[in-house]
Amino acid sequence: MLNTGHPIEHEELMAYLDGELEVTRASVAAEHLERCADCRKLAADLRGVSRAMLAWEVEESGLRPPAGRSANLRRWWRSKPVLAVAASCMVAGVWVTLRNENLPSPAQLASSAGRTAMLVAPERPPSTTEFGTRLRAQFTDRQIVRTAELELAAADLEDARQAMEATVNRHRGYIGTINMKMDSGAPRWINANLVIPSHELAATLAELRKVGRVVSESQLAEDVTERSVDLDARLSNARIAEQRLKEILQQRPGKISEVLEVEREVARVRGEIEKMDAERKGLATRVDFATISVKVGEPAAAQSHGLGAAASRGWKVLVDGLTAVAETILTAAPTVLLLGALFFPARFAWKRFRKKSAA
Amino acid sequence: MTSDEGLMLQFRGGSREAFDELFDRYRETLFAFFRRRLESRARAEELTQETFLAVLRATELYEPRSPVRSYLFGIAFRLLSAERRTTNRAATVRERGLVDDGTEQALWVRQALSRLEPAERDLLMLREYEQLSYDEIAALLKIPVNTVRSRLFRARIALKEYLEPAGKETSNA
């Protein structure tokens, strides 16, 4: 655009205001602005547009990084060689596709956006969402649900219970449930479910092992990363669907029956959101907190040592054997008596029959 | 303070902390980029995350000669273009936002922007909201810098007209 009587074009003036004009032209523009009222007016208008546009502010997102903050990627790759190989293959694939370009290619990004669109368009095939889930799972800290079972034998169950409680408190956990049978004259035991922060599990188990003699122990680690990521994606889908339904409700009023139908759909989606939200929180809690199932019993007498203990065990074996015989006899007695009651009359009848036949 | 490019190199070297720092620096900027161009806040959040996921995926492709800021907006703009193709929203600015997401003046600006030609609107918004330089915009939109300047000027003058009070507009007509 040429401006008769102006040493600079209007576009140059705008570039000058934007700090985008080369130095030599910028000095001309600055000098001209001082002298030309028209250009000062134009400059004021352009600045006014920029100022007006600032009125459109955007709320904060509150987003969190796609993966957790604690992990160092290099450590992560080393600690998870299988995923590292998978990730390397993926990066290699991307590199082969895009080696001629600095940025990811449009095809890749379109594909990526397609995956994103999948998250908001439930009607699409699920496979892409699953791919997206796996992809996110690869770049997300592994989420592991840890459980352990521990069976102990302790001479004094009351001491064992107190030691167990102290251990749980020390590791900032709590006792979920506890059942005790403390009657004398019968085997006594304690069953407890302990809930411990996951990172305290190993230390807690180490202390619990000192409460008594370890009879058995098992640990289970369940990787729920993909499940968690999938849940996040489905939750996001549902929220978007809900928002769209609400927008439809606000912007496209139709027949009452249609409005009611949309409202029912909104209620259904809301129900799903709440259900998934609860599941997500439950899963997160299970990841954050490990559970230990502890059973503490008194030591079996058979495992005592010494002559007295051996004699005691012998006596117990004898008593148990006699008891077993008595139990067998008593169990069989009714049947034996019944058969006896039938046998003798039958035998008597048979003998009389033989005698008559002989005569 | 470490530069964006320095952080990106650290991230390529395996530092998760560097990535998190980059995320913190550009999170709101990228979210605002998508938020102003899409009706759905949730979708804007999704695409912001997708942008960073793309960085994670293609970290080896970043070259130090390219400013991180341009690199990120390059990814974001391509994601946005793909989103528009997918949803047939064809470069429409949000004309209907949530009731509570802006002032009356903001609504006025949004409506005025929606009246611009899509190409000019994109360009103007990249300049005003994302504060990209003419060169960066030219690289992003794959057009010459001179075209950026002329379109930007046209867009600003047009927007000035659209922002004028209705009474003045009609009296001029």
Side-chain angles (χ1 to χ4, degrees), chain A residues 243 247 251, chain B residues 35 37-41 89 94 96:
Chain A
Q243 188 178 336
E247 285 170 4
Q251 294 157 10
Chain B
R35 185 70 183 110
R37 290 160 175 85
L38 299 170
E39 286 199 31
S40 161
R41 176 193 164 92
R89 284 180 192 156
R94 290 187 310 135
R96 304 177 299 267

Side-chain angles (χ1 to χ4, degrees), chain A residues 319-342:
Chain A
V319 170
D320 287 349
L322 291 174
T323 307
V325 170
E327 282 176 354
T328 307
I329 290 171
L330 288 172
T331 306
T335 309
V336 171
L337 286 174
L338 178 65
L339 288 176
L342 293 173

Side-chain angles (χ1 to χ4, degrees), chain B residues 6-53:
Chain B
L7 285 173
M8 185 59 104
L9 290 176
Q10 287 176 22
F11 168 56
R12 281 179 59 178
S15 167
R16 175 73 211 189
E17 290 73 19
F19 177 79
D20 285 349
E21 175 64 27
L22 274 175
F23 182 87
D24 282 343
R25 288 187 190 180
Y26 284 98
R27 174 186 59 195
E28 297 305 329
T29 308
L30 287 172
F31 172 71
F33 170 83
F34 288 114
R35 185 70 183 110
R36 285 197 177 95
R37 290 160 175 85
L38 299 170
E39 286 199 31
S40 161
R41 176 193 164 92
R43 198 77 192 104
E45 287 180 355
E46 279 274 333
L47 288 181
T48 306
Q49 292 279 17
E50 284 291 334
T51 306
F52 285 104
L53 279 171

